[in-house]
Amino acid sequence: MPLIPYALTRPFLFGLDAEHAHELTLGSIARLQNTPAQCLWAQTRVDDAVEVAGLRFPNRVGLAAGLDKNGRCIDGLGAMGFGFIEVGTVTPKGQPGNPKPRMFRLPQADALINRLGFNNEGLDAFIANVKRAHSFRAAGGKLGLNIGKNAATPIENAVDDYLIGLDGVFPHADYITVNISSPNTKNLRALQSDEALDALLAPLVERKGALEAQAKRRVPMFVKIAPDLDEAQVETIGLSLKKHGIDGVIATNTTIARDAVQGLPHADETGGLSGRPVFEASNRVIRLLRATLGAGYPIIGVGGVLDGASARAKLDAGADLVQIYTGLIYKGPALVPEAARALARR
Ligand SMILES: Cc1cc2nc3c(=O)[nH]c(=O)nc-3n(C[C@H](O)[C@H](O)[C@H](O)COP(=O)(O)O)c2cc1C
């Protein structure tokens, strides 16, 4: 049990603007991680080791990308009991993201809307942070590094940014995620279309092969996709990932749909909606991917995990591993062992 129950922290944090609460929390974790004060939120990790994409994950529950965009808090967040942590999205150059306010809570729906727009300090600062982290990986936790493109890079040159990201993160990653599904970077999601995906994945897979040969180490590469795709699009993407030898798929990112939150305060804010309203949409994509890809192809399910039952539903839909972001905001760190236990009992 962590020393501070989230029931006491949450009202204070929810009294602040969402992004301010986020920065305060991450700043505290960054300062206190790997010190005795980490016992304030540390929890015993549920032991449920599983092999996926050639990696041994200590349990099936991971932190989703975007909570720790600069990779500052890998050890502190890892201490909540995650089997894996994904940090980023990192872009080659640092960038400020969209104007504030750009993150909103919809508590009646256990949801968030964000239009951060890949605010981050850039690849060099990211890698320096990743290199500083030690205790999470020393304890067997797996680290995913998630790469994207700068807003100022024209979409025709997107591959250049992803190649820079790949070169930079490769030596430090247990796995790499290619994020082509944020709704907050103009035209990014167009990279999911068939020809654009081919043109992106072929050079990335080739470069990864060269890096692996040089380093004599395999690093799986996953592609993260959106929930707002029709059945044919999901099938086409799934087949393309397999054809190119991509090691797995992360489903899904946030949604641009708003039907599930109609009429709620902030529902009309532009951006990606996460949490409970994206749960079913993500599960649908996971089911379609599993049907297209067959047994054995790694799928990481993410979107609306808020308790043990919703985590288990991801596995029932066909996922091998599960990630959490918004659930952590609403339920606190106790959600991590709760979800991991629910998946271990399966
Ligand atoms: C505030 C916020 C920022 C996010 N930033 C990123 C990001 O930088 N890269 C990424 O791949 N996904 C990002 N995501 C998407 C999450 O990783 C996840 O796919 C999505 O929120 C659905 O999961 P959830 O319902 O558990 O939050 C972000 C989500 C939120 C709420």
Side-chain angles (χ1 to χ4, degrees):
M1 267 291 277
L3 272 179
I4 305 185
Y6 193 62
L8 295 182
T9 337
R10 187 181 124 147
F12 166 72
L13 290 171
F14 275 39
L16 305 173
D17 158 77
E19 188 167 351
H20 184 195
H22 179 80
E23 305 219 302
L24 196 66
T25 308
L26 275 197
S28 308
I29 294 175
R31 262 195 314 282
L32 299 178
Q33 63 186 346
N34 294 316
T35 76
Q38 191 165 275
C39 68
L40 292 172
W41 68 86
Q43 308 178 108
T44 308
R45 187 171 72 198
V46 171
D47 194 6
D48 174 34
V50 56
E51 190 174 314
V52 177
L55 295 175
R56 186 177 188 276
F57 291 83
N59 66 44
R60 295 180 192 261
V61 177
L63 177 70
L67 192 142
D68 186 6
K69 286 182 188 272
N70 296 304
R72 294 161 67 203
C73 297
I74 294 164
D75 289 338
L77 291 164
M80 293 177 185
F82 286 108
F84 61 114
I85 297 268
E86 187 171 319
V87 293
T89 296
V90 64
T91 56
K93 296 185 193 125
Q95 60 180 28
N98 291 318
K100 296 178 185 176
R102 54 191 182 174
M103 198 199 280
F104 308 89
R105 297 185 198 91
L106 291 77
Q108 296 96 327
D110 292 324
L112 297 171
I113 291 176
N114 91 84
R115 52 170 176 271
L116 294 170
F118 292 166
N119 57 313
N120 78 106
E121 291 166 6
L123 194 54
D124 292 345
F126 180 82
I127 289 168
N129 288 336
V130 167
K131 282 162 88 171
R132 224 172 282 131
H134 53 91
S135 56
F136 175 65
R137 295 177 94 184
K142 295 293 176 238
L143 181 65
L145 304 181
N146 177 311
I147 57 175
K149 70 172 274 299
N150 277 115
T153 304
I155 199 71
E156 312 80 72
N157 303 339
V159 65
D160 299 341
D161 276 14
Y162 286 100
L163 286 170
I164 293 169
L166 173 59
D167 285 342
V169 303
F170 181 89
H172 311 287
D174 291 317
Y175 72 84
I176 296 164
T177 300
V178 178
N179 178 13
I180 51 170
S181 47
S182 166
N184 303 316
T185 294
K186 192 163 172 257
N187 293 329
L188 191 81
R189 289 170 303 137
L191 296 173
Q192 298 174 116
S193 80
D194 202 17
E195 306 88 77
L197 196 57
D198 257 348
L200 176 68
L201 295 185
L204 280 177
V205 168
E206 188 187 330
R207 177 70 62 87
K208 186 176 85 93
L211 290 166
E212 287 177 333
Q214 203 177 14
K216 299 191 175 55
R217 181 172 85 99
R218 263 194 48 72
V219 180
M221 186 155 70
F222 302 150
V223 171
K224 182 164 176 179
I225 68 170
D228 310 306
L229 299 162
D230 66 29
E231 195 171 327
Q233 287 172 312
V234 176
E235 257 175 44
T236 307
I237 291 170
L239 295 174
S240 178
L241 299 184
K242 215 170 185 178
K243 179 183 86 181
H244 283 283
I246 295 292
D247 302 278
V249 56
I250 304 187
T252 67
N253 215 308
T254 55
T255 178
I256 55 169
R258 290 291 185 272
D259 26 316
V261 291
Q262 279 300 325
L264 293 181
H266 300 306
D268 295 330
E269 294 288 352
T270 301
L273 173 66
S274 59
R276 187 153 49 84
V278 78
F279 175 68
E280 263 313 321
S282 299
N283 291 354
R284 173 187 150 270
V285 172
I286 293 167
R287 277 192 295 271
L288 288 170
L289 285 169
R290 183 53 76 208
T292 304
L293 294 163
Y297 191 88
I299 300 177
I300 301 179
V302 49
V305 170
L306 287 149
D307 51 22
S310 48
R312 209 166 46 244
K314 294 277 181 233
L315 260 56
D316 293 341
D320 303 291
L321 302 170
V322 163
Q323 288 179 326
I324 299 172
Y325 186 145
T326 304
L328 202 60
I329 310 303
Y330 283 96
K331 301 296 177 75
L335 174 59
V336 180
E338 181 188 339
R341 268 193 303 273
L343 302 186
R345 273 203 302 272
R346 200 162 172 261

